Amino acid sequence: FFKNMFSFTTSPIITINFSELEHRAKKQMRSYVVDDGKHMNTMELPVYGGQENVSGMVDISVPPGKKIEHLGVKIEMIGQTEICHEKNNNVKFTSLVRELESAGTMVQSKSYPFEFSTEKPYESYSGLNVRLRYFVRVTITRNYNSCVKDQDFAVENYSSVPLI
């Protein structure tokens, strides 16, 4: 009974792809997701410079024959600090938002290019108790359950060697 009652919701699949990944340096970063209670997972992230634009493509897949009613689709680039044992104590220091689509109905899969050009003043960091992370978040806002997908990237600020 309950399965049929809630089966009217169709969830799209959101994929975030950064541009030129094959030419970009990668960095191993610690994740705060603990896999077996003893080890922390690591993620391999693309590296961007503090002045570089972050760009790519968002793909939203709608299952064949289904439709997704939504109140809007947006993409954000967020920089925030997190204290690992306090989920509600995140501090955003950078947040840019772009609307990809206004309210409506999706009846087929769609792709949206994105580009964010802003200074990213702090380098990515992942320690035992604190993490400074940058990520792109796509949100499909709906009345009953919004769909959210995050994709992290690393930032390293390179400086030139001073001439003596």
Side-chain angles (χ1 to χ4, degrees), residues 32 40 80-92 127-131 133:
Y32 284 118
M40 287 190 177
Q80 73 182 19
T81 57
E82 302 171 347
I83 298 175
C84 70
H85 302 294
E86 299 179 27
K87 267 300 205 193
N88 296 328
N89 201 10
N90 299 337
V91 177
K92 289 182 183 178
L128 290 176
N129 296 311
V130 70
R131 175 167 71 157
R133 71 187 276 235

Side-chain angles (χ1 to χ4, degrees), residues 2 53 78 85-86 88 108 112 150 154:
F2 287 110
N53 292 351
I78 299 170
H85 302 294
E86 299 179 27
N88 296 328
Q108 62 185 9
Y112 305 92
D150 291 350

Side-chain angles (χ1 to χ4, degrees), residues 13-164:
I13 297 170
I14 303 170
T15 308
I16 302 169
N17 297 303
F18 293 112
S19 297
E20 301 179 4
L21 275 181
E22 62 277 358
H23 303 296
R24 193 161 292 287
K26 307 286 190 296
K27 183 176 186 174
Q28 294 289 326
M29 297 289 290
R30 181 181 299 136
S31 159
Y32 284 118
V33 177
V34 179
D35 58 7
D36 62 3
K38 297 176 186 165
H39 301 94
M40 287 190 177
N41 292 330
T42 58
M43 325 180 260
E44 187 176 74
L45 303 178
V47 177
Y48 287 86
Q51 303 295 323
E52 273 187 276
N53 292 351
V54 177
S55 63
M57 189 72 70
V58 174
D59 297 316
I60 300 176
S61 299
V62 178
K66 301 289 185 177
K67 64 181 181 177
I68 307 291
E69 293 183 13
H70 62 86
L71 301 174
V73 180
K74 69 178 177 179
I75 187 167
E76 301 171 84
M77 189 196 80
I78 299 170
Q80 73 182 19
T81 57
E82 302 171 347
I83 298 175
C84 70
H85 302 294
E86 299 179 27
K87 267 300 205 193
N88 296 328
N89 201 10
N90 299 337
V91 177
K92 289 182 183 178
F93 55 85
T94 298
S95 180
L96 296 172
V97 182
R98 308 261 191 279
E99 184 179 59
L100 297 177
E101 187 170 316
S102 57
T105 303
M106 282 188 203
V107 293
Q108 62 185 9
S109 299
K110 292 188 176 183
S111 295
Y112 305 92
F114 69 88
E115 183 170 17
F116 291 101
S117 56
T118 186
E119 183 180 8
K120 295 168 283 305
Y122 309 112
E123 290 194 351
S124 299
Y125 175 78
S126 185
L128 290 176
N129 296 311
V130 70
R131 175 167 71 157
L132 189 147
R133 71 187 276 235
Y134 290 91
F135 57 98
V136 172
R137 171 177 287 161
V138 174
T139 305
I140 301 173
T141 306
R142 303 196 289 182
N143 281 328
Y144 39 89
N145 63 341
S146 295
C147 298
V148 179
K149 171 76 175 186
D150 291 350
Q151 185 68 50
D152 288 62
F153 63 94
V155 172
E156 290 184 353
N157 289 316
Y158 306 103
S159 59
S160 58
V161 178
L163 298 174
I164 299 176

